[in-house]
Amino acid sequence: MSGSTSSRSALVVGAGIGGLTTALALSRVGWQVTVLERAPELGEVGAGLSIWPRAWKILADLGVADRLVDGTRPAIQAGLRRPDGRWLAKVGPDAAERTPVMVHRARLHEALVGELETREGIEVRTGVTVTGLADLDDIDAVDGRGPADVVVAADGIRSTIRNELHQREDVRYAGYTAYRGVTAEPVPGEASTTGGETWGTGVRVGYVPLVDGRTYWFVTANRPAGETGGDHHADVTALVGDWHEPIPQLLAATPPSAVLRGDICDLRLPLKRFDHGRVVLLGDAAHATTPNLGQGACAAIEDAAVLAAQLAGHARIESALVAYDRTRRPATQRLVRASRLVGALGQVENGTVVAVRDAGLAGLGAIAGLLSR
């Protein structure tokens, strides 16, 4: 292996948000990158996601942020409410610099692809299924170039590479499912000026305006695993259709065919390491988390930036990957634990416990309001 960064190459398995951000970040420090994606073409499904300030800065440095917004962000009143609309805690619109930019997942993916297409030294191959590390040896042999210097496993929560390295299947069902939707058009009134979450008994609703003017919403409900059939729009309307405005308004503005449903999962046990020689795990493959803190995509983006920085800063690749592990593993595993705790609180079904929870949240909200004056 040469000590010159420009001669180094990486295979990135997975062309999701984490994989594409990794390709851009490595390209920026002079690496040659090949991205392998099992889908026949690039694309992303889903609804809204939050990009918090640290991840937003990374996207800005990579040239992606300018593809997402025109410099404006909606000022909204956000916080936590009860189903009857009473606020338990508020965050004012003056806190915009500390709150996330909300974008559609597909739009972020398109922005990453658009920036990637302007870069030299990045190749994306679709329709390539990687069932294990031996497949990557075969790919290198076909290319006739020898093994890549680094393999980045960004192949998601059900990562085949992680399962091979750790010899176990780690995915855990969190006990609740999520319905997600985006309104077809901007919804006037409160839907464009407020956001946050509403916690009920075993059910939660969240909504927030996206940068394109539409509104993203989700509903979580305690359900047995695997119950993903049926009419999702009708299900969610039965659950929260009589909650405070603008929740019924948002549901009415969302086409039934646009409502997605998926069980919420994370990793049952934390991994003992993200690096394995010259193979490294990134994003959901390393630390899949429940979405309760809205940080999953951001964690993958931050992984990519740290990985590129460590590889640029170390002569030995193995040392760089060890440094990446020591930086990212503690931080992301704290995130997984905190998100799991928030989910447990939000999905409480016992009425007495819910009352105590809400009283505590209201008290914390009042204290936070006094401190922010």
Side-chain angles (χ1 to χ4, degrees):
M1 180 200 73
S2 168
S4 171
T5 300
S6 62
S7 67
R8 291 178 174 177
S9 65
L11 277 177
V12 178
V13 182
I17 290 169
L20 295 185
T21 306
T22 299
L24 289 172
L26 289 178
S27 172
R28 192 177 185 219
V29 296
W31 280 60
Q32 301 291 310
V33 184
T34 300
V35 182
L36 307 176
E37 169 57 41
R38 66 181 178 180
E41 59 184 28
L42 293 180
E44 184 67 276
V45 296
L49 59 79
S50 52
I51 308 176
W52 292 81
R54 284 199 305 271
W56 185 255
K57 183 178 186 305
I58 293 167
L59 294 178
D61 291 343
L62 293 175
V64 177
D66 288 343
R67 296 175 178 271
L68 293 169
V69 298
D70 60 5
T72 63
R73 294 176 60 182
I76 63 171
Q77 172 77 65
L80 187 63
R81 292 200 249 188
R82 291 179 45 169
D84 61 7
R86 182 166 67 86
W87 289 94
L88 297 172
K90 287 185 180 181
V91 177
D94 57 337
E97 72 280 358
R98 302 190 300 275
T99 57
V101 178
M102 297 300 302
V103 302
H104 197 288
R105 179 177 291 271
R107 184 170 179 179
L108 173 56
H109 195 267
E110 290 169 2
L112 289 165
V113 171
E115 183 62 27
L116 180 145
E117 290 173 345
T118 71
R119 305 290 185 92
E120 296 182 357
I122 301 177
E123 178 187 6
V124 179
R125 301 183 197 171
T126 57
V128 179
T129 299
V130 176
T131 62
L133 293 172
D135 292 347
L136 304 182
D137 294 334
D138 293 340
I139 291 168
D140 287 329
V142 170
D143 289 345
R145 68 182 182 195
D149 294 290
V150 168
V151 172
V152 181
D155 52 342
I157 186 172
R158 302 189 185 278
S159 168
T160 57
I161 293 177
R162 181 194 67 235
N163 291 343
E164 177 180 340
L165 293 171
H166 290 270
Q167 296 296 304
R168 69 179 194 240
E169 171 61 57
D170 280 321
V171 177
R172 176 196 77 105
Y173 177 51
Y176 47 95
T177 195
Y179 302 84
R180 297 182 174 93
V182 177
T183 61
E185 301 289 342
V187 177
E190 190 177 0
S192 63
T193 60
T194 64
E197 295 191 15
T198 300
W199 286 14
T201 302
V203 178
R204 287 177 289 160
V205 177
Y207 70 93
V208 67
L210 301 177
V211 293
D212 64 8
R214 298 179 297 165
T215 299
Y216 161 66
W217 58 264
F218 71 84
V219 174
T220 59
N222 297 341
R223 293 286 186 273
E227 291 186 353
T228 55
D231 184 335
H232 303 332
H233 194 279
D235 290 345
V236 80
T237 300
L239 282 169
V240 299
D242 60 350
W243 287 21
H244 67 79
E245 290 291 352
I247 294 170
Q249 189 181 13
L250 295 175
L251 299 183
T254 305
S257 62
V259 179
L260 306 175
R261 179 180 174 182
D263 288 344
I264 298 302
C265 300
D266 60 9
L267 295 189
R268 185 181 310 277
L269 298 171
L271 301 183
K272 293 183 178 180
R273 59 190 302 181
F274 292 171
D275 65 305
H276 298 261
R278 295 196 176 199
V279 180
V280 65
L281 301 172
L282 181 142
D284 283 352
H287 47 71
T289 181
T290 54
N292 299 297
L293 297 178
Q295 294 266 8
C298 293
I301 292 167
E302 292 181 41
D303 286 351
V306 171
L307 177 62
Q310 297 295 352
L311 287 169
H314 286 78
R316 292 186 67 252
I317 288 176
E318 292 88 348
S319 298
L321 300 189
V322 168
Y324 161 81
D325 171 73
R326 289 176 177 171
T327 301
R328 294 303 296 156
R329 184 162 47 86
T332 55
Q333 290 179 351
R334 284 195 298 271
L335 171 66
V336 171
R337 292 193 297 270
S339 184
R340 188 178 290 186
L341 175 60
V342 171
L345 286 173
Q347 296 301 135
V348 168
E349 292 186 323
N350 181 284
T352 301
V353 177
V354 167
V356 172
R357 177 198 70 189
D358 290 355
L361 291 170
L364 290 174
I367 292 171
L370 290 171
L371 293 176
S372 65
R373 291 179 181 176

